[in-house]
Amino acid sequence: MERTRDFLRAAGLPGADLHEVPSSAGRFPDGGAFRVEIPSVEGPAALEAVLDEAGRRGVTVHRVSQGSGGLLLTASELRDTAQAAAEARVEVSLFARPLAGWDTGAAALATGAAGLGTQARGTEQLVHVLEDIRRTCEAGIRGVLVTDLGVLSLAAEMRAVGELPAGLRFKTSVQMGLANPASIRIAARLGADSYNVPTDLSLAQLAAVRAAVDIPIDLYVEAPDDLGGFVRHFEIAEIVRVAAPVYLKFGLRNAPNIYPAGTHLSTTAVALGRERVRRAEIGLELLARYGPAATGSTLPAADLAVPVPTAQPRTGTEPKDAPRLVTR
């Protein structure tokens, strides 16, 4: 077994999970060790509620993410989301869809193949997901949530050649499922700007991932029931120490899965968003109690993928030199 461990070390990977749980020296560009993410912020009304609740509770929210995707937001809703987040200087990350779980194929519904549901099915769906990212960006959003490695690699190439904005950030979804340092390093090399690790990784496993990649780690410190339902608030101080730079992601146990969301679920989405911010307040109180030296990023943060609001949706028919941005 030592020969294999030595091979891993020679490849720049840990030879084992780091049970000594060393402290991470990594930080966000502004020196912060942690940031706060509120997930499942489904649409402008939920975003407004989250920002209002965060202000009322004194919780600094750096990023909000959304699972239904830009696909299920109208052009005006996308613009409203971009405008509200830009004013709050908060990053928004919208799920890139559609994927196999919403397609007509049956394999993604099979009991033994649940992971297929988060992959792009066939070339046409690959095109559709990339078009969804393009449409989202045209509304001013600068963060997308990706689960498929092919989508990630191609979207990163599109960003590199100017087909997508240079400031676009790729956040991988927890549903990508990569769970070891070697695999997560592949995602980073393909263009991931942060990686959402599985919800149940131990501190030793998180330390091993941190030893392999420099990009921020995203971790649910409270996970939805369908992602394990773990409530890890007392571990937050150690998670920050070991995994920094890390996004502390406050999901919600004992809450309905509302994907795909819409106006028929707006009241529920708003209520869930407010409670997630309350959970964040609890988690940050415990972090201050048990890890008082840990510093969080403040706002504004220059490296956040804050939306750039547009004057109007782009149709694809404008000349290339047509103005895209509102002058502010």
Side-chain angles (χ1 to χ4, degrees):
M1 203 173 287
E2 275 306 309
R3 289 177 60 190
T4 299
R5 295 189 190 280
D6 288 342
F7 187 87
L8 291 179
R9 294 185 187 103
L13 296 166
D17 292 328
L18 302 184
H19 296 284
E20 66 274 23
V21 289
S23 296
S24 170
R27 295 293 183 269
F28 289 102
D30 63 2
F34 70 90
R35 290 176 177 172
V36 170
E37 177 179 341
I38 304 297
S40 302
V41 181
E42 305 299 301
L47 175 58
E48 181 180 356
V50 164
L51 296 175
D52 176 72
E53 194 72 17
R56 194 172 70 82
R57 293 183 178 275
V59 172
T60 300
V61 173
H62 303 87
R63 175 200 275 166
V64 299
S65 53
Q66 183 255 48
S68 300
L71 169 65
L72 292 185
L73 292 176
T74 67
S76 63
E77 288 169 339
L78 282 169
R79 294 197 306 274
D80 289 347
T81 297
Q83 185 68 46
E87 290 174 358
R89 300 179 178 182
V90 170
E91 181 173 316
V92 172
S93 188
L94 302 186
F95 215 108
R97 292 194 182 273
L99 297 164
W102 291 9
D103 203 6
T104 56
L109 304 177
T111 56
L116 293 178
T118 60
Q119 303 304 303
R121 180 173 176 268
T123 304
E124 286 307 301
Q125 194 165 73
L126 180 63
V127 171
H128 294 167
V129 180
L130 294 171
E131 279 296 298
D132 188 51
I133 295 173
R134 193 191 296 274
R135 175 176 178 264
T136 295
C137 290
E138 288 172 355
I141 302 297
R142 290 297 180 266
V144 291
L145 237 162
V146 181
T147 58
D148 183 284
L149 285 174
V151 169
L152 174 62
S153 64
L154 286 170
E157 289 180 27
M158 291 172 72
R159 176 177 63 180
V161 300
E163 284 288 323
L164 293 172
L168 178 62
R169 301 293 173 82
F170 300 117
K171 166 183 162 54
T172 65
S173 166
V174 67
Q175 295 177 32
M176 183 173 277
L178 307 180
N180 65 75
S183 296
I184 293 170
R185 188 171 68 174
I186 290 172
R189 288 174 173 175
L190 288 177
D193 295 297
S194 70
Y195 191 86
N196 198 146
V197 297
T199 60
D200 63 346
L201 291 194
S202 68
L203 291 173
Q205 291 167 336
L206 287 170
V209 172
R210 174 47 69 219
V213 298
D214 295 327
I215 61 173
I217 290 172
D218 311 338
L219 176 66
Y220 275 100
V221 293
E222 181 169 348
D225 297 75
D226 58 2
L227 291 175
F230 310 117
V231 182
R232 304 181 68 175
H233 291 185
F234 273 102
E235 288 185 88
I236 290 176
E238 280 294 275
I239 288 169
V240 170
R241 182 183 69 80
V242 168
V246 59
Y247 280 92
L248 303 173
K249 194 169 177 180
F250 290 90
L252 196 59
R253 187 172 182 174
N254 195 29
N257 183 330
I258 60 172
Y259 302 151
T263 56
H264 63 307
L265 295 170
S266 182
T267 300
T268 300
V270 165
L272 295 177
R274 289 189 180 275
E275 180 58 22
R276 289 185 180 97
V277 176
R278 177 178 170 272
R279 293 292 223 272
E281 182 181 13
I282 295 169
L284 294 176
E285 287 175 352
L286 292 174
L287 174 57
R289 179 184 179 96
Y290 298 110
T295 56
S297 291
T298 57
L299 292 178
D303 63 302
L304 284 175
V306 175
V308 182
T310 57
Q312 59 185 7
R314 288 182 51 83
T315 65
T317 61
E318 303 89 338
K320 289 185 178 180
D321 59 350
R324 299 188 180 196
L325 306 182
V326 176
T327 301
R328 295 176 59 86

